Amino acid sequence: MSVLLFGFCFPVTLAAQGYPPPVRGQKEIRSPHNPNIYVRYKNPTSEICRTANTKQKQFTGHIHLPPMTLAPVQQNYPINTFFWFVEAQERPESAPLTIWLNGGPGSSSLIGMFAEMGPCEAVPANPNSITTRARPFSWDKSSNMLFIDQPNQVGLSYDVPTNGTVALLDPNGTYRPNTTAPTNTKYYGDLGYTDEQFANLGNYSNIIYRIALLNGTFPSGNKEFTTNTTEISAMSAWHFLQAWLVNFPQYNPNSTGINLFAESYGGKYGPKFSTYFEEQNGRRETGELSKSDTVELHLESLGIINGCVDSAIQTPSYPKYANANPYGIKVISDEVRDAALNDYSKSDGCLARIQKCRTLLKESDPESFGDSNTVNEACDSANTYCNYIRDVYRASGRGYYDIASDSKDPFPYYYYLEYLNNATVQEAIGTPVNYTQSNTFVYRAFDSTGDFVRGGEVEDIAYLLSRGVKVSLIYGDRDYICNYMGGEAVSLAIDYPDKAAFKAAGYEDIRVNSSYVGGQVRQHGNFSFVRVYQSGHLVPSYQPETAYVIFDRMIRGVSIATGNKISRSGSNIYSTTGPADTNTTLRAPDRLPPVCFVRETSTCSLDQIFMIGGGKGVIYNGVLYNSSSDYSIPAGLGIGSGNGDGGSSSSSGSSSGSSRGKGNTGSVDNNSKKGDSAITLDARRASLLALALALAICIGDL
């Protein structure tokens, strides 16, 4: 069995839980070109992350970049970037290398590893332990995989390890550096509040940082000690890969190339990182960079999954999708849609503000280093205004990442949050800091420069296509936050030589296996846009087999629709055939039963949040229950439950293994929320809403 994580009960261990054990047994390699850059790593066994082939090697650790590595950017802080590498299941010495990045900005790429397409997933073994099991359709079937927590302070990356606390009642999960959980004040009762008094408080902003706290070690939380634009992040990623490939040369795929896959905010990371890598390759050729001191990053493919690429293009898709989508779930009225679209297009609206931001950017911050207050203020203002259009959806109570679910959707399940904060796991992978899946301080750094609306990604994709890089835009059609309608609009806006031929290509079914069509694709040569049926934001979680098939076909350069060999250059370039639009309508699945994960309280009802604040109930494997007798494991999880298949074909032809991927013939549009008690007071609802509004920053995480 893999490492076990013992369940805990709030009254006993809440304040004591936390600090990682000392890091021991790491290997260190100094860069031959700069001894101040070094790698410290460990070799965790397959018990930590169970793989399909127990002979697959794994490496976890950090690459240290000293201050001023990113010059001329002002970087007066150390960068320690965490990575988790897993060999391909077969022939790793000749396999391609795929880099995976989650988005945010500020979200950990271990989300992808443990909740999406990595080699393993964390699942409950019994009430007192969590283990891992191999994922059937993990992407290491076709490639070596490298998961990178970036930029600095994200996930298990850090600048300076700093002790602090995280408040479970903070909906953003923000840790507070240089604090300690008190031993005599754990719950609201310790502050003298009765249940009734606490339920009817008007202001929770101070109290939530005094109760239900977990100790831990975290990055500094200084937003000046991380990057604040995507361009600077690209520079940091390039330096990371230089150090990684120099020190792990056996995995440098000179012939098969590097694939970069990025998700969500990765719609910005992917194009800009890839373009920077290509530009650095060019500088090596001209002699601006020394070939003896650097390595080529031979980019073969760029995949973007439910990416927010360009807000100037994608913003209108928010009210359009909320009003009319393939699932017949009408979230906003025609009048609200039209008003939102007017706010986008009017003379002082969203688009005009984005254009002003980009004009000033070219004039005053052409490198997009985020060092012009004038540009930062204009871009931040544009982003704030455009967010109002996106947030017409908020009142619906539906999930931003899956329109078929409500806002408390527990899928994909968050057991990995508890697993990665277990001391045995921390020691095995060599981390001096606790795991946080999204970092508010990093988000705020990017938000302060208006990075979300600065643009340039569409031009970057055109540049990459002109250089022969394969590009695929892949979108689950149940996602709202970076929805497929906006993704399609981006695909049609890419101004490259084959733009007309791409637009003329029809939509063709994606034949995943002998019985299942997983979506539709428009493809012309190296460029494709994919709509994945019955999938939310994290496509590999909802449709594991479909996602793997698309990934495998894409990096091999074959037809995404059929898997057949195609011509990608010359006079007879392959194009898909079919209708000009993708108009398939579908039925949404039933909503999942609620599960309250205490490290992700967005999954918890109001009653459960107050239970956490009052130290009531019991917690097993990070999940809150009313009592021990209520313990259960979600269907399909746990050791020995089902066949563990992440995407086998079901009798109905659906790519299954995840109940969130299946359509259902039952009622589609039930707006009732689960988990709210009938006795919940109106004042209590209002006060908790006030709490959420006071604290919430919209982290477009994942």
Side-chain angles (χ1 to χ4, degrees):
M1 294 291 290
S2 297
V3 174
L4 299 181
L5 174 63
F6 293 101
F8 58 95
C9 179
F10 255 47
V12 177
T13 60
L14 181 59
Q17 191 273 341
Y19 304 115
V23 178
R24 300 187 180 92
Q26 284 185 314
K27 300 174 184 178
E28 181 177 298
I29 306 176
R30 296 271 170 174
S31 172
H33 309 306
N34 184 348
N36 293 319
I37 296 176
Y38 55 83
V39 183
R40 288 177 177 164
Y41 70 95
K42 301 188 79 169
N43 301 98
T45 69
S46 61
E47 289 186 341
I48 299 299
C49 175
R50 188 175 296 279
T51 52
N53 180 349
T54 57
K55 294 182 179 180
Q56 289 174 257
K57 293 180 182 177
Q58 301 184 43
F59 301 98
T60 60
H62 295 83
I63 288 182
H64 172 81
L65 303 178
M68 302 313 298
T69 301
L70 305 185
V73 172
Q74 181 67 27
Q75 178 232 330
N76 56 355
Y77 55 88
I79 297 173
N80 297 280
T81 304
F82 179 80
F83 66 89
W84 196 317
F85 172 82
V86 182
E87 281 188 338
Q89 293 179 21
E90 297 180 359
R91 297 183 294 278
E93 68 282 353
S94 60
L97 174 66
T98 297
I99 298 166
W100 174 269
L101 303 176
N102 278 90
S107 293
S108 165
S109 294
L110 297 188
I111 298 169
M113 177 164 175
F114 280 92
E116 299 189 64
M117 32 54 69
C120 66
E121 59 181 331
V123 295
N126 57 54
N128 295 311
S129 62
I130 295 174
T131 186
T132 62
R133 66 180 181 187
R135 182 176 281 112
F137 286 98
S138 58
W139 290 7
D140 60 313
K141 292 178 68 171
S142 298
S143 176
N144 293 319
M145 298 297 302
L146 178 60
F147 300 86
I148 305 173
D149 271 348
Q150 66 81 44
N152 202 30
Q153 300 196 49
V154 169
L156 293 173
S157 297
Y158 64 93
D159 50 350
V160 179
T162 306
N163 288 346
T165 58
V166 60
L168 296 181
L169 296 188
D170 180 351
N172 295 311
T174 306
Y175 60 86
R176 294 195 306 155
N178 302 307
T179 59
T180 304
T183 57
N184 60 346
T185 307
K186 298 178 181 180
Y187 311 108
Y188 61 72
D190 298 325
L191 299 177
Y193 293 104
T194 66
D195 293 350
E196 182 85 3
Q197 289 171 333
F198 188 76
N200 289 282
L201 283 175
N203 186 343
Y204 292 89
S205 58
N206 293 321
I207 293 177
I208 66 168
Y209 297 113
R210 298 172 62 191
I211 60 174
L213 304 180
L214 296 177
N215 286 318
T217 304
F218 307 95
S220 72
N222 185 339
K223 74 181 184 70
E224 302 298 325
F225 285 8
T226 186
T227 62
N228 60 7
T229 70
T230 300
E231 282 79 2
I232 302 175
S233 301
M235 297 169 64
S236 182
W238 183 83
H239 281 282
F240 168 91
L241 288 170
Q242 290 295 305
W244 198 89
L245 290 170
V246 164
N247 290 292
F248 296 94
Q250 66 273 35
Y251 301 113
N252 189 347
N254 294 315
S255 59
T256 52
I258 295 172
N259 310 300
L260 175 59
F261 274 71
E263 188 174 69
S264 194
Y265 207 85
K268 304 184 185 302
Y269 292 156
K272 289 195 177 295
F273 285 26
S274 299
T275 295
Y276 186 76
F277 296 168
E278 288 289 300
E279 291 172 345
Q280 290 292 83
N281 289 342
R283 294 182 181 104
R284 294 180 76 251
E285 295 302 318
T286 62
E288 187 177 347
L289 289 175
S290 168
K291 283 191 174 182
S292 61
D293 291 341
T294 59
V295 295
E296 179 187 8
L297 302 184
H298 172 51
L299 189 67
E300 185 69 23
S301 307
L302 169 63
I304 296 173
I305 298 180
N306 280 83
C308 286
V309 180
D310 189 318
S311 53
I313 297 170
Q314 290 175 274
T315 297
S317 72
Y318 291 121
K320 291 178 181 178
Y321 184 91
N323 176 261
N325 51 73
Y327 295 91
I329 303 173
K330 190 171 183 175
V331 169
I332 62 173
S333 67
D334 294 354
E335 292 76 17
V336 172
R337 175 202 60 198
D338 294 343
L341 291 174
N342 181 63
D343 285 340
Y344 168 79
S345 60
K346 65 185 182 182
S347 60
D348 61 342
C350 170
L351 180 59
R353 294 171 189 239
I354 291 175
Q355 291 169 338
K356 177 183 178 181
C357 155
R358 294 178 181 179
T359 298
L360 290 172
L361 182 68
K362 290 179 181 179
E363 295 172 354
S364 302
D365 189 11
E367 300 296 326
S368 200
F369 286 168
D371 53 7
S372 166
N373 289 334
T374 300
V375 175
N376 292 347
E377 290 171 5
C379 295
D380 182 35
S381 174
N383 185 38
T384 299
Y385 186 92
C386 295
N387 278 347
Y388 291 127
I389 297 173
R390 182 181 69 188
D391 285 350
V392 297
Y393 183 86
R394 184 180 298 275
S396 71
R398 289 188 172 270
Y400 272 70
Y401 307 110
D402 181 2
I403 196 171
S405 300
D406 65 31
S407 58
K408 301 186 185 304
D409 184 20
F411 185 85
Y413 297 109
Y414 293 94
Y415 292 102
Y416 62 91
L417 298 182
E418 209 65 41
Y419 187 74
L420 290 170
N421 280 297
N422 173 259
T424 306
V425 176
Q426 291 168 334
E427 184 175 15
I429 64 178
T431 175
V433 296
N434 287 83
Y435 178 72
T436 51
Q437 71 168 352
S438 293
N439 189 299
T440 304
F441 302 104
V442 173
Y443 175 88
R444 288 172 179 163
F446 277 72
D447 191 52
S448 70
T449 65
D451 186 76
F452 192 81
V453 300
R454 288 185 167 221
E457 294 83 3
V458 167
E459 294 80 3
D460 290 333
I461 292 173
Y463 167 77
L464 295 169
L465 288 168
S466 73
R467 296 181 64 84
V469 176
K470 300 189 296 290
V471 178
S472 187
L473 308 181
I474 303 160
Y475 285 77
D477 65 6
R478 289 192 343 227
D479 181 33
Y480 171 77
I481 198 67
C482 303
N483 61 68
Y484 85 97
M485 293 178 180
E488 181 185 41
V490 167
S491 74
L492 296 173
I494 307 299
D495 190 11
Y496 77 117
D498 286 345
K499 178 179 181 179
F502 173 77
K503 184 176 181 180
Y507 277 101
E508 194 167 328
D509 288 344
I510 300 172
R511 289 172 281 284
V512 175
N513 54 47
S514 61
S515 64
Y516 182 62
V517 171
Q520 291 185 315
V521 57
R522 170 185 274 144
Q523 181 176 2
H524 177 74
N526 280 336
F527 188 36
S528 57
F529 169 77
V530 178
R531 172 191 170 189
V532 180
Y533 294 156
Q534 296 287 2
S535 175
H537 192 64
L538 309 184
V539 174
S541 301
Y542 292 82
Q543 293 293 347
E545 183 178 9
T546 298
Y548 169 71
V549 166
I550 293 168
F551 164 74
D552 179 65
R553 290 175 182 175
M554 193 264 190
I555 67 172
R556 290 191 291 117
V558 300
S559 165
I560 290 177
T562 65
N564 295 333
K565 291 183 178 180
I566 61 173
S567 174
R568 295 185 287 112
S569 60
S571 59
N572 189 29
I573 298 177
Y574 165 83
S575 284
T576 49
T577 59
D581 299 300
T582 173
N583 292 322
T584 305
T585 59
L586 301 165
R587 257 202 184 288
D590 288 338
R591 300 181 185 184
L592 287 176
V595 182
C596 173
F597 290 91
V598 297
R599 290 184 187 267
E600 184 58 52
T601 51
S602 65
T603 62
C604 303
S605 70
L606 299 183
D607 283 339
Q608 290 168 327
I609 289 174
F610 280 90
M611 285 175 65
I612 294 170
K616 303 178 188 304
V618 295
I619 297 173
Y620 293 123
N621 298 329
V623 176
L624 176 68
Y625 301 92
N626 289 332
S627 65
S628 299
S629 61
D630 291 330
Y631 172 77
S632 63
I633 296 176
L637 294 184
I639 300 304
S641 61
N643 59 14
D645 193 324
S648 63
S649 298
S650 68
S651 59
S652 63
S654 171
S655 180
S656 64
S658 159
S659 62
R660 304 309 299 143
K662 297 179 182 179
N664 191 281
T665 57
S667 174
V668 174
D669 199 10
N670 177 7
N671 285 312
S672 63
K673 286 190 178 183
K674 299 176 181 177
D676 289 340
S677 169
I679 63 170
T680 301
L681 302 174
D682 288 341
R684 174 175 170 179
R685 292 180 184 275
S687 60
L688 194 67
L689 177 60
L691 177 154
L693 292 175
L695 294 171
I697 60 169
C698 187
I699 297 183
D701 58 13
L702 314 179

